[in-house]
Each structure stands twice: as C-alpha cells, then as structure tokens.
Amino acid sequence: VIKSVVGAESDCQSISQSPNATAIKMQAFERIAIGFLKIANLCGGIHGGPVLGIGVLVILAVISQLTDMKFETLLVPYLVINVLVVVAATAITLQHGKQSREGVTIQIQRPSWSMVQTYFKPIALIALPLCATEFLTMSQGNIDILLTSLVDSETAAANYIVARRLTQILGMPLTIVNVAVLGLLSSLSARKELDGLRTVTQGVAAIGALLTLPIAAVILVAPGFVVQLVFGPGYAAAAPLCQLLTISQVVYVITGPCMLMLMQAGQGVHAMRLAMVSCVMIVALGIPACLYGSATELAWVYLASVAFLNVSAWYRCWKTCGVPTHVSLTRMLQLPEMSRLADA
C-alpha cells in the first residue's frame, strides 16, 4: 500500500519526507484530537470537553510546526490517548459508585452472573447494532483508499489519497462537535424533547457549516492553488479530485449529525442497514471503477455513497424521529439556546 502511495522507486523510510506523509499526519492528528476530546468530556463535562479539545488542537498545531515529527512517532500518542480513555472511564466508575444529579441517585453495582443473565440480552440488542454501525461507517470512510491499489497508475492513486486527506479535514469540525454534544443528545432523547433535539442537531450542523463551507468554497473555486499550497506542485493533478471529494464533505456537513441522531433515537438497526448499503456501494462500484476506469470514477463512487448514506439518514430522522438535522438559518440564530439546554 505504501508503494502504491509513494511510488515504485520509494522505500518505507522515505515516507516521512514525502508529501503523502503530510496527509497521513492529518489523519493521525484528527484521531489524536478526538481522543483528547473524549477524555475532556469524561472529566470536564459538557463545558470542559470543547474547551480542552480546542486547546489540544492548538497544542498539536504548535508541536507539528516546531518539531519534525515522523509517522512512527504519531502512533505512540494515539495509543496513549486510547489507554487513558479506558483508564479514566474505569477509575471514575469505580470511585463514584453513587452519583446524584437532579435529585436522582444512581447506584452502580458490581456485576454478577444473575445480572449478566438478566440484562445481557437487551443490552446486546441495543449495543450490537450501534457497534456494527460504527464499524461500517469507519469502513465506508476507508474502503476507497484501499481500492486505490487497483488503479493502474501509481501517480493517480497517490493523487486520490492526497485529495481524500485534504478534503477529509472539512468534516473535522462537525465530527468534533458531534462528540462534544453526544451526552446532551442522549439526555434530550431520553426526555423526548423534540424541540431541544432540533435546536441542538441543527445548531451543530450550523457550527460545522460555518467552519467548513468557506474553506470548501475556496477548494471548489481554486483547487489547484490549494493542493499546491499544501502538498506542493507535484500533486497539481489532484485538483479535480479535490472538487468531487469536497462536494461529498459538503453533503456530510449540510445534513448534520443525522447518523448520530438515528442511533440516539433508537434507530440503530436502520442506521446499520444504511451504513451497510453504503459500504456495499463502494465495493461493488469502486472495484470496476478502479479496474476499468480511473481515480476520477472512484471519486464519483465515493461521492455517491456518502450522499446516499447521509441523505437517507437525514430523511429517516425527519420522517421517523421528527428531528431534521440539516443546517437551518433560523437555528443558527438560536445557537444561544444550546447553552441554555446544556445548563438545564
């Protein structure tokens, strides 16, 4: 895979000096930032999570500018963050056996075999579709990159991966905000506060749009300039691919946290089915696109799969749950309402 990205004459050691290393670091930074955000939400609550998450993003940006980080060094903080999330969750659960919130006392009991027999089946029926949805959604975002090994031209494959990594940044604001409001969505869903859910989901979509659409507009208007500015003149041919893949990220942002809302609203099985169909689309259409077409056809396939997944999930949220998740100018003006709901 590395040779198909970097080139036939390159070896593994030269990847840290290649422009593709920048694309790999982007994905690694994204995962590290979201990992820190999980810890922040766990320890700091609704308000502490976003603040600490933004701080970590700034720290990562400064570190990346001051040090010559190699791909291998990014694996260490990524693993450390995942271990910290597990350790922090376990420690907080054990130390706070009783928690009182809004006059309700929650008793966390030690698990026993009778509890497993009583609660395992209903928990599994809820959790397994959610786990499968997360896995399929993650796969849907990476299958096309694996399929680039089927493209005849190594240069075309490298251009596609560069375009994917560049445009993937456009979805980061919405992804991070989704993590920040996950607990709030769960609480509102449990209380069946539809108006609050509409305010939060459409407000989150508005935040993502405000941060994403201006950058997306620049990429759509001047893709060649942006690609050469980030990766150098050697990847100027990736400009048309950036335009197609940018459209896919715009669809993702405009439709808002639709998949997250489906899972929070008890529609995990339907979300799993949509993610499965999206993955099948990429495999069934992506393989012939790579074998008999080019990277451009693969970009069209990815765009179609993303559009299908998010538009279908958005429609399901609207019709079944009564919660449209798309960007709304009216909800943008009601963003302070999100703060009031968080404090409630």
Side-chain angles (χ1 to χ4, degrees):
V1 174
I2 291 177
K3 287 189 176 181
S4 67
V5 175
V6 181
E9 292 82 19
S10 302
D11 56 18
C12 296
Q13 295 179 349
S14 64
I15 190 171
S16 60
Q17 285 78 35
S18 68
N20 281 301
T22 304
I24 296 173
K25 290 177 182 178
M26 289 179 183
Q27 185 185 31
F29 283 164
E30 176 185 358
R31 294 185 178 182
I32 291 173
I34 293 177
F36 272 114
L37 192 58
K38 290 178 181 178
I39 298 177
N41 282 331
L42 195 62
C43 303
I46 297 175
H47 298 291
V51 173
L52 186 56
I54 294 174
V56 170
L57 286 176
V58 173
I59 293 173
L60 286 175
V62 173
I63 292 176
S64 65
Q65 295 297 319
L66 297 179
T67 62
D68 184 17
M69 299 180 68
K70 296 183 179 180
F71 172 69
E72 293 79 3
T73 60
L74 294 175
L75 296 177
V76 176
Y78 178 65
L79 293 175
V80 169
I81 289 170
N82 281 275
V83 171
L84 286 176
V85 170
V86 176
V87 172
T90 304
I92 291 176
T93 302
L94 294 177
Q95 291 177 4
H96 301 279
K98 293 183 179 180
Q99 298 178 356
S100 178
R101 180 177 176 83
E102 299 178 359
V104 178
T105 300
I106 302 173
Q107 178 69 40
I108 302 178
Q109 301 178 355
R110 292 185 178 274
S112 63
W113 178 244
S114 60
M115 291 177 59
V116 171
Q117 289 179 315
T118 304
Y119 299 111
F120 176 76
K121 184 176 180 179
I123 291 176
L125 291 176
I126 296 174
L128 290 179
L130 300 181
C131 293
T133 302
E134 290 288 345
F135 172 77
L136 291 170
T137 304
M138 186 182 301
S139 300
Q140 186 261 354
N142 291 278
I143 291 176
D144 60 320
I145 297 177
L146 298 177
L147 291 179
T148 55
S149 60
L150 301 177
V151 178
D152 290 337
S153 173
E154 294 178 350
T155 301
N159 287 333
Y160 181 86
I161 293 177
V162 163
R164 275 280 277 116
R165 293 309 183 208
L166 177 61
T167 56
Q168 196 173 27
I169 300 176
L170 298 175
M172 282 184 61
L174 180 59
T175 301
I176 293 177
V177 177
N178 284 346
V179 176
V181 300
L182 182 58
L184 182 57
L185 285 178
S186 300
S187 177
L188 293 172
S189 297
R191 298 198 298 263
K192 297 182 179 180
E193 296 186 10
L194 294 182
D195 189 64
L197 287 171
R198 295 187 191 105
T199 300
V200 173
T201 54
Q202 294 187 299
V204 164
I207 293 175
L210 287 173
L211 297 174
T212 297
L213 294 184
I215 303 175
V218 174
I219 296 178
L220 290 173
V221 173
F225 170 77
V226 176
V227 172
Q228 294 185 58
L229 179 65
V230 177
F231 296 104
Y235 290 96
L241 298 174
C242 284
Q243 290 178 310
L244 290 175
L245 297 174
T246 296
I247 296 175
S248 69
Q249 295 301 306
V250 170
V251 173
Y252 166 71
V253 171
I254 289 179
T255 52
C258 46
M259 287 292 289
L260 182 62
M261 185 62 229
L262 277 182
M263 292 187 286
Q264 292 295 320
Q267 298 287 322
V269 174
H270 193 81
M272 179 184 66
R273 292 171 180 170
L274 292 178
M276 186 180 301
V277 173
S278 180
C279 289
V280 171
M281 284 181 60
I282 295 182
V283 175
L285 300 177
I287 292 177
C290 294
L291 293 177
Y292 305 106
S294 63
T296 302
E297 282 72 19
L298 181 59
W300 278 108
V301 170
Y302 180 77
L303 171 58
S305 68
V306 172
F308 166 80
L309 177 63
N310 289 276
V311 173
S312 300
W314 166 81
Y315 183 79
R316 182 77 178 186
C317 286
W318 179 29
K319 290 299 183 181
T320 304
C321 308
V323 182
T325 59
H326 60 272
V327 174
S328 171
L329 294 178
T330 303
R331 296 295 182 181
M332 283 185 182
L333 299 177
Q334 297 176 358
L335 287 179
E337 183 73 8
M338 293 181 62
S339 178
R340 185 189 70 80
L341 291 171
D343 294 331

